[in-house]
Amino acid sequence: MRLKKNLKIVLITIAFAMIRWSLLAQDGTPNVFTPYSFYGVGTINTVGTAALKSMGGAGVAYRSAIEMNILNPASYSLAAKQSFLLSFGMQGENNYLKSGNLKNSHNGFNLNDVGLMFRIANRLGFGFSITPYSSVGYRINYRETNPDIIGQLGDVRYLYSGSGEISLMKAGLGFRVSKGLSIGANFLYYLGSIEHFSQTSITPFMSNQQYSNTSLTKKLSLNQVAAEIGVQYNFFLDKTRYIILGATYHPQIKSTLKTSRSAYMYEANYPIDTIYDNTTNNTFILPHKAAFGIGYKSEKLSVSLDYDFQKWEGSMASEDGITYTNTHEIRGGMEYTPNRYDIRNQLKRWTYRIGFRYGNSYIMDNGHNLKNYAISLGVGVPIQKNGFSLMNIGAEFGKQGTTQYNMISNRYVKLYVGFSLFANNEWFVKHKFK
């Protein structure tokens, strides 16, 4: 029976992981919806479970045996003995875009993160996760307004759309060196594809005129391995309270971005001639990334504050007034559980969370930085009366960009639902049969 329980948890994790990977091939389910995802490898996502996202995404110095922390592999060392921790989540997003007098909105939903953590041996834990690293999602319709072009050609319309995702798989170990010190390392695997499509169609005013329409497709594919290391150190104030310092580092990796381009002339939605169709390999740099965190933890309260730096400058060539710059982000949050063991008052067993984050995107539009800021809140609701499994519900309210300088403002609301399933299993017990 115990073996069957362990096998079921592993199979469930694999099933969710396969679903997460399969979403790479689906169109129309982007994690983001913003024209700025047209550039680079799209919009970089906030990494973390629903619980950590409700705390602003802070977690470099976060340690818990009942909530998985995929931000720092050193936290795997806290995996509880004879137990499994399975985590997965879903995300819905509402975007409200504005530029000048133009407005647009979009709603989306997607399976988000899958994670698994368990102890391998004394002081040694294992962690595995799959999460969206970057996402592309946009659709723009534009009608030509230049009177010279209209007078010469007729009604000219343009369509630009994009979709796709780069996913990130992490598998690593966390080891508790001493009472206060833990270290960890993750094997990373980036995999996914992004597709950009554009179309120009012309409807002439004169019946004796006829023009061929054109469509262009660009597909980017990334397949790259990398690594990251992490460390956490606890300063104990007493038996139940301590301060945590944490840090992670991801070295720069020079990768190959496979780029396939094709262009066709068509009539009545059928291609009639190939303009070009080729594939090239372009250099892409996964940047240096360093993150530092400080936290406080007691029986009821946990507080985290992170600083994150990524060196995007020089990683890709500039295009259409867009350049790439280094990113700086501050994330902070806290969670409070009045009494985790109260069996009479359910609300006292709930975990209440709040957080914020502020930083800049790696994209600069004509020299203007693209700022991001958000606030978040959430709750963790116990699933079992006498267990540690939680259903985590959270919301994030944020803004990217501005309407100044002819830029685009994107106000958004993200809703998170995640499950942290804590299963007790006698994995290491030697059974005796009589």
Side-chain angles (χ1 to χ4, degrees):
M1 290 296 294
R2 297 183 181 94
L3 180 59
K4 288 183 178 180
K5 287 183 180 179
N6 294 327
L7 183 59
K8 284 181 180 179
I9 294 173
V10 174
L11 291 176
I12 290 172
T13 305
I14 294 173
F16 275 108
M18 292 176 66
I19 294 171
R20 170 99 282 279
W21 282 108
S22 69
L23 292 177
L24 289 171
Q26 295 183 17
D27 292 329
T29 57
N31 280 311
V32 299
F33 189 80
T34 168
Y36 286 114
S37 66
F38 173 86
Y39 301 100
V41 291
T43 298
I44 306 300
N45 295 301
T46 302
V47 177
T49 62
L52 292 186
K53 288 177 181 177
S54 299
M55 297 170 60
V60 177
Y62 181 87
R63 288 178 67 81
S64 174
I66 61 174
E67 281 292 352
M68 188 171 180
N69 178 10
I70 64 177
L71 298 179
N72 192 334
S75 65
Y76 303 158
S77 65
L78 203 62
K81 186 178 180 181
Q82 301 172 12
S83 68
F84 267 97
L85 180 59
L86 172 62
S87 176
F88 61 94
M90 296 157 282
Q91 174 180 314
E93 183 169 346
N94 302 313
N95 295 272
Y96 306 93
L97 297 103
K98 182 179 181 181
S99 179
N101 295 323
L102 301 177
K103 295 181 181 180
N104 197 2
S105 62
H106 180 268
N107 302 322
F109 176 82
N110 213 331
L111 181 67
N112 220 8
D113 306 283
V114 178
L116 173 69
M117 185 175 74
F118 59 86
R119 180 179 291 194
I120 295 178
N122 186 32
R123 301 191 292 175
L124 180 65
F126 171 81
F128 169 83
S129 64
I130 296 178
T131 187
Y133 172 72
S134 68
S135 301
V136 170
Y138 64 90
R139 184 179 177 87
I140 303 170
N141 288 292
Y142 172 68
R143 190 173 186 177
E144 183 61 63
T145 58
N146 188 316
D148 295 331
I149 297 177
I150 295 174
Q152 183 178 358
L153 299 178
D155 185 16
V156 183
R157 298 173 184 263
Y158 308 94
L159 168 65
Y160 304 92
S161 64
S163 62
E165 179 181 281
I166 303 296
S167 282
L168 174 58
M169 182 190 78
K170 294 186 177 185
L173 300 172
F175 180 67
R176 182 166 57 85
V177 179
S178 63
K179 182 180 179 181
L181 177 64
S182 294
I183 59 175
N186 267 329
F187 164 83
L188 308 179
Y189 184 34
Y190 296 87
L191 177 67
S193 62
I194 294 167
E195 185 171 282
H196 301 279
F197 175 79
S198 63
Q199 184 182 79
T200 304
S201 58
I202 303 173
T203 304
F205 293 144
M206 305 296 293
S207 59
N208 61 344
Q209 292 178 319
Q210 185 172 357
Y211 301 100
S212 295
N213 303 316
T214 59
S215 65
L216 293 85
T217 302
K218 182 173 73 171
K219 186 175 182 179
L220 309 175
S221 300
L222 182 64
N223 191 329
Q224 180 64 45
V225 297
E228 70 177 352
I229 57 175
V231 61
Q232 291 181 330
Y233 190 84
N234 301 338
F235 292 93
F236 290 91
L237 304 177
D238 53 38
K239 292 182 178 180
T240 60
R241 298 182 304 122
Y242 52 96
I243 294 173
I244 312 167
L245 297 181
T248 60
Y249 177 67
H250 180 312
Q252 176 180 290
I253 300 293
K254 186 175 289 189
S255 180
T256 298
L257 199 62
K258 183 179 178 181
T259 306
S260 301
R261 292 182 174 88
S262 60
Y264 300 94
M265 299 177 66
Y266 69 94
E267 291 180 1
N269 295 323
Y270 291 99
I272 59 173
D273 192 17
T274 300
I275 301 174
Y276 60 81
D277 189 356
N278 58 55
T279 300
T280 59
N281 292 322
N282 301 316
T283 300
F284 169 65
I285 296 176
L286 285 166
H288 290 288
K289 179 180 179 181
F292 307 92
I294 183 171
Y296 167 83
K297 193 170 184 64
S298 66
E299 289 185 344
K300 298 182 178 181
L301 180 67
S302 180
V303 181
S304 294
L305 181 66
D306 291 358
Y307 166 73
D308 187 295
F309 168 79
Q310 294 188 60
K311 193 180 186 305
W312 282 97
E313 189 174 311
S315 62
M316 291 170 285
S318 59
E319 50 183 325
D320 300 327
I322 297 293
T323 56
Y324 301 95
T325 185
N326 300 335
T327 62
H328 306 266
E329 187 174 51
I330 296 175
R331 304 185 295 264
M334 61 177 290
E335 64 178 10
Y336 178 73
T337 309
N339 187 350
R340 194 179 304 277
Y341 306 99
D342 194 316
I343 61 174
R344 296 181 179 179
N345 191 331
Q346 175 74 5
L347 293 179
K348 287 186 177 181
R349 296 183 60 231
W350 286 25
T351 299
Y352 304 90
R353 304 183 177 100
I354 190 170
F356 75 93
R357 60 186 179 89
Y358 175 80
N360 66 288
S361 170
Y362 70 113
I363 295 171
M364 291 190 70
D365 187 352
N366 291 308
H368 300 292
N369 221 320
L370 197 63
K371 299 292 186 181
N372 303 299
Y373 57 86
I375 58 172
S376 56
L377 50 87
V379 294
V381 182
I383 298 175
Q384 300 168 301
K385 187 173 183 180
N386 297 314
F388 296 104
S389 296
L390 297 173
M391 178 177 67
N392 296 304
I393 304 170
E396 179 180 308
F397 308 89
K399 181 183 178 183
Q400 178 190 49
T402 176
T403 54
Q404 295 180 332
Y405 317 113
N406 294 319
M407 296 172 66
I408 299 170
S409 169
N410 179 21
R411 296 181 182 273
Y412 61 85
V413 179
K414 296 181 180 180
L415 302 177
Y416 305 114
V417 177
F419 294 87
S420 182
L421 305 180
F422 186 85
N424 294 314
N425 293 275
E426 298 181 0
W427 181 274
F428 301 100
V429 173
K430 294 182 179 179
H431 303 292
K432 295 182 179 180
F433 298 92
K434 295 181 179 180

